[in-house]
Amino acid sequence: MYKRLEIISYEDISIYEKEYTSRFDSTSTFKTNLEIHPFSQREERRITTEKHRLFYVPLMEHMSLIEKIFNNSKRLRSDLLPQIIKDRLIVHQMIDEIKSTNDVEGVKSTRRELVEALHDKTKNKRFFGIVSMYKSILEEEVQIINSLGDFRAIYDKLLLDDIEESDRPDGELFRKDVIYVAGGGKKFHQGNPNEQAIRDDLEKMLIFMNSDISFVIKALVTHYFFEYIHPFYDGNGRMGRFLLSSYLARKLDLFTGLSVSEAVLQNKKKYDESFSNTSHPKNRGDVTHFIGDMLEIILQGQERMIIKVNKIVQQVEQLLDKIDSLNISKVESELLFILGQEQLFDFKENGISNIELSEMYKEKYTRSKINSTTKNLEAKGLLIKTKSNPIVYKMNPELLVDIIA
């Protein structure tokens, strides 16, 4: 069993130094170019007289976890769902992911707010930035980071409009002053002390990001080190998880990338403790346990996502069976299927407007055809009108009782 060095120091201090040397000097150990000052929980400060190089010991159980992650990614990339439904589920998951990353930091947001930001044409809605940036993941836009300015550019687009004026960066690119992360009346992390220290470590991180190491391990070490640096007064956690999500979505699959924060939220205590443990003075830069914890969190996110996909597959099949049993026309079936999906995915509480339906089917049906069809479905008790100007319908919830039970 691979114990944290901190635990070994408590159990048997006589073998502590030998164990550290054995791990660090092993030919299989990956030594990074990244160094940290440990943080003393007892003194609630960084120990600036100590500096440790981050290193990773590749464990067999980690290789097994990575293999499972790759296999799950292959399943999530497969054609379990029709493309149109898969696309809608991805957007639904994106909204859940953004809400989760906000929840991790105690930032209050609702699904309605996030959906409104997704459709905002004015670019003035709260959370427009973070929703737009996550949407760029779906559109396969690569967040290129070649310079320190790129970090700031991503931060500005992702979060700046939702950051309080007093918490916005006050340096050339990053914050100028020291920052502490606290909870329960105690400090448990201290970011780099000033902008120059932030710049120096981010420059090293840029070099590490181009190192020759497994992309999964590289992404997780980078995630730890970005949070260690804490370049901004506010938004570090959300930016760090966005970068991780974006990278995993590109290297693995969208569903894996968009389930990171949801899994972190489910394992918040483990996530927070893993950061703290890695920065403990006695662990001396050993990032191995952090990697293991994060691999388990990512794997759990994938497994929850697979359950979601399988559930949607089952629900869509049940929805189709329900519609087939109604003895209605083809166009009525098509519109009812779209409206039924909206309620399965819980996108819009009030339903879909005829204008939106007309846009979806502009190559197939006229606006008047859409209007007459939804009116007929309403007369049959299959749709409920929720708004008159513009006309908005939703499927009668009674049709979905057995499906979403």
Side-chain angles (χ1 to χ4, degrees), residues 67-289:
E67 184 179 4
K68 289 177 182 177
I69 287 170
F70 284 178
N71 287 337
N72 281 343
S73 179
K74 186 176 179 181
R75 287 182 66 186
L76 289 166
R77 287 196 310 271
S78 66
D79 298 326
L80 288 172
L81 290 166
Q83 191 60 47
I84 187 170
I85 297 174
K86 186 175 183 178
D87 290 344
R88 294 165 80 81
L89 179 57
I90 287 171
V91 174
H92 182 274
Q93 183 60 31
M94 179 192 77
I95 296 297
D96 283 349
E97 182 72 358
I98 299 169
K99 186 177 186 312
S100 293
T101 198
N102 283 340
D103 287 347
V104 170
E105 303 302 327
V107 176
K108 300 297 182 185
S109 59
T110 65
R111 296 191 83 259
R112 178 183 284 185
E113 277 183 298
L114 298 173
V115 171
E116 286 176 354
L118 177 64
H119 299 290
D120 180 30
K121 304 296 183 185
T122 67
K123 302 183 180 181
N124 292 323
K125 291 280 188 184
R126 186 181 181 219
F127 300 123
F128 175 81
I130 193 169
V131 171
S132 297
M133 289 296 276
Y134 270 90
K135 187 180 176 186
S136 74
I137 298 176
L138 275 56
E139 295 166 349
E140 299 183 2
E141 291 182 22
V142 179
Q143 301 300 326
I144 297 173
I145 304 178
N146 291 324
S147 68
L148 300 186
D150 292 331
F151 286 109
R152 177 59 191 271
I154 291 171
Y155 179 84
D156 285 356
K157 288 188 282 187
L158 184 74
L159 295 167
L160 191 65
D161 287 345
D162 294 317
I163 299 293
E164 294 287 341
E165 191 70 38
S166 60
D167 288 331
R168 293 184 177 186
D170 54 0
E172 185 179 344
L173 291 174
F174 309 108
R175 58 176 169 80
K176 290 197 300 187
D177 296 324
V178 70
I179 186 172
Y180 293 89
V181 181
K186 288 196 68 176
K187 298 170 186 172
F188 54 84
H189 180 67
Q190 177 185 336
N192 281 22
N194 53 53
E195 185 165 27
Q196 189 56 55
I198 292 169
R199 285 172 169 271
D200 290 346
D201 274 349
L202 285 177
E203 289 282 10
K204 293 174 185 175
M205 196 172 89
L206 281 172
I207 294 170
F208 173 75
M209 287 162 65
N210 291 302
S211 61
D212 185 19
I213 185 175
S214 161
F215 73 83
V216 177
I217 304 302
K218 180 162 52 180
L220 299 180
V221 173
T222 299
H223 184 60
Y224 166 78
F225 198 62
F226 182 84
E227 302 304 335
Y228 164 81
I229 297 168
H230 241 64
F232 305 101
Y233 291 116
D234 188 21
N236 297 283
R238 285 180 288 168
M239 179 163 170
R241 286 187 296 278
F242 168 77
L243 294 175
L244 181 58
S245 288
S246 178
Y247 187 72
L248 294 181
R250 179 162 57 90
K251 300 293 280 188
L252 291 170
D253 66 277
L254 281 171
F255 284 129
T256 298
L258 294 174
S259 60
V260 171
S261 292
E262 199 170 41
V264 165
L265 185 61
Q266 293 293 322
N267 295 274
K268 189 174 185 306
K269 186 172 185 289
K270 177 178 181 176
Y271 180 73
D272 291 342
E273 287 180 353
S274 197
F275 276 105
S276 296
N277 289 337
T278 305
S279 300
H280 192 285
K282 295 288 187 181
N283 285 323
R284 295 173 75 169
D286 187 350
V287 78
T288 307
H289 269 279

Side-chain angles (χ1 to χ4, degrees), residues 5 16-17 20 52-53 55 278 280-286:
L5 287 168
Y16 169 70
E17 194 66 36
Y20 165 72
H52 302 298
R53 189 174 170 186
F55 68 93
T278 305
H280 192 285
K282 295 288 187 181
N283 285 323
R284 295 173 75 169
D286 187 350

Side-chain angles (χ1 to χ4, degrees), residues 51-67:
K51 184 178 275 192
H52 302 298
R53 189 174 170 186
L54 291 182
F55 68 93
Y56 168 66
V57 179
L59 305 178
M60 285 301 297
E61 53 261 43
H62 290 184
M63 300 307 107
S64 177
L65 288 169
I66 290 171
E67 184 179 4

